[in-house]
Structures are given as C-alpha cells and as structure tokens.
Amino acid sequence: MKKIIIIGGKWKNYKLYVYNDYNLRPTIHIIKKKLFNWINPILKNSKCLDCFAGSGSLGIEALSRYSKLVIFIEKNFKLFKRLKKNLTLFKYNKYIINSNVIKWLKKKSLIRFNIVFLDPPFYKNLLNKTIYLLEKNKYLSTKTIIYIESEKNYIIKIPKNWYIKKFKIIGNILIRLYLRLNK
C-alpha cells in the first residue's frame, strides 16, 4: 500500500491508502497542486466526472473543496473496492461506479458536468474515444472545464469548441486544461 494526501479543503492533509498496483498512477503531488490552483475558483458546488478514477485522488480533492457532486468511474474491481472504502471515510458512498468508461459513456447523460477529469492509463489510446463520447452523449454543460493528463507525446483530437486554457509538461507527463463552450 502507498498513500496519497489530500492537499486542500476540508479534508486537507488527510492520508488515503491505495494499492501499489502497476495499473495505478495517482496524479503526483506537484501536478495535483497545479491543477487545483487552476480550478479552485470554480470548484464550489460543481458537478464533476472523474473518468478512470483509479485512486480517486482528483475527485476526492474536488469533494474536499466543496464540489456538490463527483461521479467516480473505475474499471478495475480491486481499485474500485479500495476507492469505495476510502470514500466511506468521508461518508460519500454514492456515485462510485465499477465500469469501463467507454462503455459507460455510450449512454446519454442525465447530468451535465462542469468539470471533467481525464487521466486514463497511459499507452492505451483511450482519450480520443472518451472525448468523442463526452460530446456526443451530452455529458458536458454549456461551460465545462476538462483536465487531461497524458503521456507527453499523445496527440488528442480536440473538438472545435474546446479552448486550451493552461498546459504544462512535467517530466514525461503533459497536463492540459480546456474550456469547453457550447457550440
């Protein structure tokens, strides 16, 4: 087991234990700090979707900073169970879904999210399919912030109504923040 630390909000400095699994690559502290400095002004009462949740680090950080709702989607059952256990510590036991993100996004959404976290496993070519389904099946609100973490050289097909707001390369990781406006 290794631990991740919540870096802000009502659960600041709380330690969560996660599996030391080769499929799990929690967002490193320096990146998480940069991301939440970028989006902190819009987190309160937001509706977030944490695709490829893994440890849940990003979604839990959003909840700690007063997001109204976070839906966590994690395919790996072992990681899903650990995430669920960690979330019960905060009495948040809903909207934790054990599913393949691509399959789950194929249905039309009843909720429009204003923040989406996309941090899929590297080298699996999942981002372009995910972005396409988020748009096609109406998961995004009229003004949505999308965070994408990928390997440095990954080429993404970005919709015309997504505008790059911030980006940074840290080691071999490229982080990007997009603003999606209604067409």
Side-chain angles (χ1 to χ4, degrees):
M1 294 284 242
K2 59 184 170 182
K3 56 187 166 183
I4 56 172
I5 298 171
I6 299 171
I7 60 172
K10 60 189 171 192
W11 303 322
K12 184 177 180 172
N13 295 324
Y14 200 93
K15 294 170 183 68
L16 298 173
Y17 290 91
V18 297
Y19 289 114
N20 219 358
D21 187 298
Y22 74 94
N23 289 314
L24 186 62
R25 186 188 36 76
T27 299
I28 61 175
H29 188 81
I30 190 170
I31 293 175
K32 193 163 52 164
K33 187 174 182 180
K34 173 94 39 206
L35 167 63
F36 283 91
N37 283 339
W38 289 346
I39 67 172
N40 202 48
I42 61 161
L43 272 169
K44 191 170 184 180
N45 294 319
S46 62
K47 294 178 190 167
C48 303
L49 178 60
D50 190 353
C51 298
F52 313 101
S55 67
S57 175
L58 298 177
I60 293 170
E61 193 73 43
L63 284 171
S64 179
R65 296 168 189 244
Y66 304 99
S67 286
K68 183 193 312 189
L69 163 80
V70 177
I71 293 183
F72 298 85
I73 306 170
E74 177 50 51
K75 177 182 172 182
N76 180 308
F77 188 69
K78 181 179 168 185
L79 299 178
F80 162 78
K81 280 180 25 182
R82 185 74 215 172
L83 172 59
K84 199 169 182 168
K85 184 174 183 172
N86 281 337
L87 284 164
T88 58
L89 298 171
F90 306 114
K91 296 178 177 46
Y92 193 86
N93 56 7
K94 53 190 172 191
Y95 310 118
I96 310 155
I97 299 161
N98 181 219
S99 179
N100 175 307
V101 170
I102 303 298
K103 191 183 288 185
W104 192 82
L105 290 174
K106 285 185 178 177
K107 61 183 188 294
K108 295 272 187 214
S109 179
L110 301 175
I111 300 170
R112 302 292 182 266
F113 297 94
N114 50 329
I115 298 176
V116 176
F117 301 112
L118 299 178
D119 181 10
F122 283 6
Y123 309 107
K124 302 277 186 187
N125 198 26
L126 295 166
L127 279 172
N128 288 321
K129 293 175 198 169
T130 305
I131 290 167
Y132 170 77
L133 291 170
L134 285 167
E135 281 288 344
K136 178 181 182 247
N137 292 323
K138 304 190 182 327
Y139 281 87
L140 309 174
S141 70
T142 55
K143 190 176 178 182
T144 301
I145 292 291
I146 302 104
Y147 168 75
I148 299 176
E149 187 173 321
S150 69
E151 54 273 38
K152 183 169 58 176
N153 299 321
Y154 191 88
I155 298 170
I156 303 173
K157 296 175 189 164
I158 298 299
K160 290 181 186 202
N161 60 328
W162 288 28
Y163 303 93
I164 189 83
K165 299 301 283 177
K166 308 268 185 181
F167 74 94
K168 186 154 182 78
I169 296 172
I170 299 173
N172 69 341
I173 298 170
L174 174 58
I175 60 174
R176 295 170 258 202
L177 198 65
Y178 289 92
L179 172 62
R180 183 254 190 207
L181 299 173
N182 233 5
K183 293 179 184 178

